[in-house]
Amino acid sequence: MTPSRRMALLGPGQAGGSDPLPGFVTDMVDLAVRGLPPGYVDGEFVFTRRGRVEGDGADAKWTAVPEGRSVRYTAIVALGVNTLPEERQRQALAGETALELAGRLVKRLPQVTGLGDAALIAWAAAETGHPELPAALEHLARLDDALSDGAQVYTVEAAWALAGLVAARKAGGDVPDARLERSRARILGGLAEDRLYRHVLGPAAGPLVPWYRAHVGCFADQVYPLQALARLHALTGDAEALRAAEQVSEGICAAQGAEGQWWWHYDARSGAVVEGYPVYSVHQLSMGPMALLDLADAGGRLRMDEIALGLRWMLERPETGERLVLPELDLTWRKAAREDPRKVVRGARAAATRVMQGARLSVLDKVYPPVAVDRECRPYELGWLLYAWLCDLRGTEG
């Protein structure tokens, strides 16, 4: 395929392939197109394709078994696939287009009760140009209005709501100023006293997160607000939104691991890393680049060094020598993690940093080393990969 403008930012590479990143990203986009159809079942994407070993001994090999269903992941795939030319959209969706997939999602809206899912569907309807965008916006408004002033809201879902409204307004949808401002103020308020975003917006005490984790935000809690604020600035010239997006960008880039790891949990008060693991493939390949490239497209600082370093982690990393990209299955394994199924480390470090900022409990690194690989792949990981590298806020697509 012809590299998109974003892919070209990685450079042309050198003769003999001494810089693998340009070709690697091109290969990953192609892998995403091939890897989506196995997870597309009866007009909806599965929750995951889970790795399973078949055979014994020398004949043993990995396969990936589809499990569950997910409206949320289906909407994200619609956004990603919409960046492709129609012929490739049909390859990725077993003969259908992103517009048709968005239509399926809009029909599901009466059963959708989550703010984040409704926001993603409205976002997908806007970007695919679906005629039922007004219905999607009405449903999103009803769910948003059901939230009382000052209620806790998951940061990720609030960010998707803002991104969805921005996309709808850009597409010519009816988005009242008051509704856009409410969503904007909710996101900006999350940085009123903190360096980065917490897992929930609103009161620190509430039902959505335990007290000992109230100060913690994950990587997703940073990149989705960063993306939404960058897109708001690109559409409206909102200087405050751009400053907030730059603040978050600076925070996650300052904390990035020496080998390119986009770490998982942060102390929102200071920006310090609470617990680095797991490190997710989708963060390295897709979500980190997506947010940072959106910011650059909106007029913010371009951080290609950090993006490239994160990509290189996918090729070689200190945690494990096991491959995370499996072309034979057209997927990526989900993450490198600690041997810590009960999540002892993240809980202990969250509680410790709640009491004393910067507390590390370093002994836990030896007790629970990051040597495990989570062998599954969720469709949204491939959807965001397409969106990250083929979307262009400047008005062109790859």
Side-chain angles (χ1 to χ4, degrees), residues 297-315:
D297 280 358
R301 179 178 173 182
L302 176 61
R303 294 185 174 273
M304 285 309 298
D305 288 346
E306 291 88 346
I307 290 169
L309 189 62
L311 291 172
R312 291 185 195 283
W313 184 90
M314 290 297 300
L315 300 175

Side-chain angles (χ1 to χ4, degrees), residues 6-19:
R6 288 186 171 187
M7 294 161 68
L9 292 173
L10 291 166
Q14 300 179 14
S18 58
D19 184 356

Side-chain angles (χ1 to χ4, degrees), residues 187-199:
I187 293 294
L188 288 175
L191 292 181
E193 298 179 357
D194 290 330
R195 179 70 181 80
L196 293 176
Y197 280 100
R198 302 182 183 218
H199 191 52

Side-chain angles (χ1 to χ4, degrees), residues 9-359:
L9 292 173
L10 291 166
Q14 300 179 14
S18 58
D19 184 356
L21 289 187
F24 173 62
V25 172
T26 299
D27 290 345
M28 291 308 303
V29 168
D30 291 338
L31 179 147
V33 173
R34 299 193 309 269
L36 286 170
Y40 194 36
V41 180
D42 297 330
E44 187 175 8
F45 275 89
V46 298
F47 178 76
T48 194
R49 294 171 64 202
R50 192 174 304 280
R52 180 181 298 172
V53 175
E54 290 187 352
D56 298 313
D59 296 327
K61 64 178 182 178
W62 285 102
T63 60
V65 180
E67 294 182 1
R69 298 287 189 276
S70 176
V71 169
R72 174 171 296 190
Y73 294 169
T74 301
I76 292 172
V77 169
L79 285 166
V81 170
N82 189 59
T83 64
L84 295 165
E86 182 177 332
E87 180 181 355
R88 299 206 82 195
Q89 289 186 29
R90 295 188 184 280
Q91 292 174 11
L93 297 178
E96 297 183 344
T97 66
L99 176 62
E100 292 168 329
L101 182 57
R104 292 178 182 274
L105 288 163
V106 171
K107 290 180 181 178
R108 292 283 303 273
L109 276 172
Q111 290 78 48
V112 173
T113 59
L115 179 70
D117 292 0
L120 287 168
I121 292 172
W123 187 355
E127 295 212 351
T128 59
H130 198 279
E132 292 300 316
L133 174 60
L137 289 173
E138 288 176 10
H139 190 77
L140 176 60
R142 283 194 294 271
L143 294 179
D144 199 8
D145 289 342
L147 297 170
S148 60
D149 290 338
Q152 283 191 324
V153 183
Y154 286 115
T155 301
V156 165
E157 298 200 346
W160 286 340
L162 178 57
L165 292 176
V166 168
R169 175 167 283 195
K170 183 177 180 181
D174 183 13
V175 180
D177 289 345
R179 184 160 301 282
L180 185 63
E181 174 55 30
R182 182 189 185 197
S183 186
R184 168 190 181 273
R186 184 166 53 197
I187 293 294
L188 288 175
L191 292 181
E193 298 179 357
D194 290 330
R195 179 70 181 80
L196 293 176
Y197 280 100
R198 302 182 183 218
H199 191 52
V200 298
L201 303 175
L208 298 185
V209 65
W211 68 268
Y212 65 89
R213 287 185 56 202
H215 63 299
V216 174
C218 69
F219 187 71
D221 297 324
Q222 316 313 319
V223 297
Y224 291 125
L226 193 170
Q227 178 185 39
L229 291 168
R231 286 169 173 253
L232 177 63
H233 172 74
L235 181 68
T236 67
D238 188 326
E240 187 177 0
L242 180 62
R243 284 193 296 271
E246 290 279 21
Q247 176 177 321
V248 176
S249 171
E250 173 62 31
I252 60 173
C253 288
Q256 187 180 26
E259 303 296 329
Q261 300 96 332
W262 293 117
W263 298 124
W264 182 219
H265 279 171
Y266 305 83
D267 187 330
R269 300 167 297 183
S270 65
V273 176
V274 171
E275 163 56 3
Y277 293 97
V279 176
Y280 289 84
S281 295
V282 67
H283 296 170
Q284 307 295 130
L285 285 169
S286 311
M287 288 167 54
M290 176 175 71
L292 295 175
L293 289 169
D294 274 8
L295 177 58
D297 280 358
R301 179 178 173 182
L302 176 61
R303 294 185 174 273
M304 285 309 298
D305 288 346
E306 291 88 346
I307 290 169
L309 189 62
L311 291 172
R312 291 185 195 283
W313 184 90
M314 290 297 300
L315 300 175
E316 186 175 3
R317 69 210 67 81
E319 293 85 358
T320 174
E322 182 173 345
R323 290 183 304 150
L324 296 184
V325 178
L326 284 79
E328 67 272 23
L329 296 180
D330 294 324
L331 52 70
T332 60
W333 288 147
R334 181 165 167 76
K335 63 180 183 275
R338 296 188 187 278
E339 291 280 11
D340 180 18
R342 296 186 178 182
K343 303 177 182 179
V344 170
V345 176
R346 69 178 69 177
R349 284 183 168 161
T353 53
R354 179 68 174 174
V355 175
M356 180 182 298
Q357 290 191 38

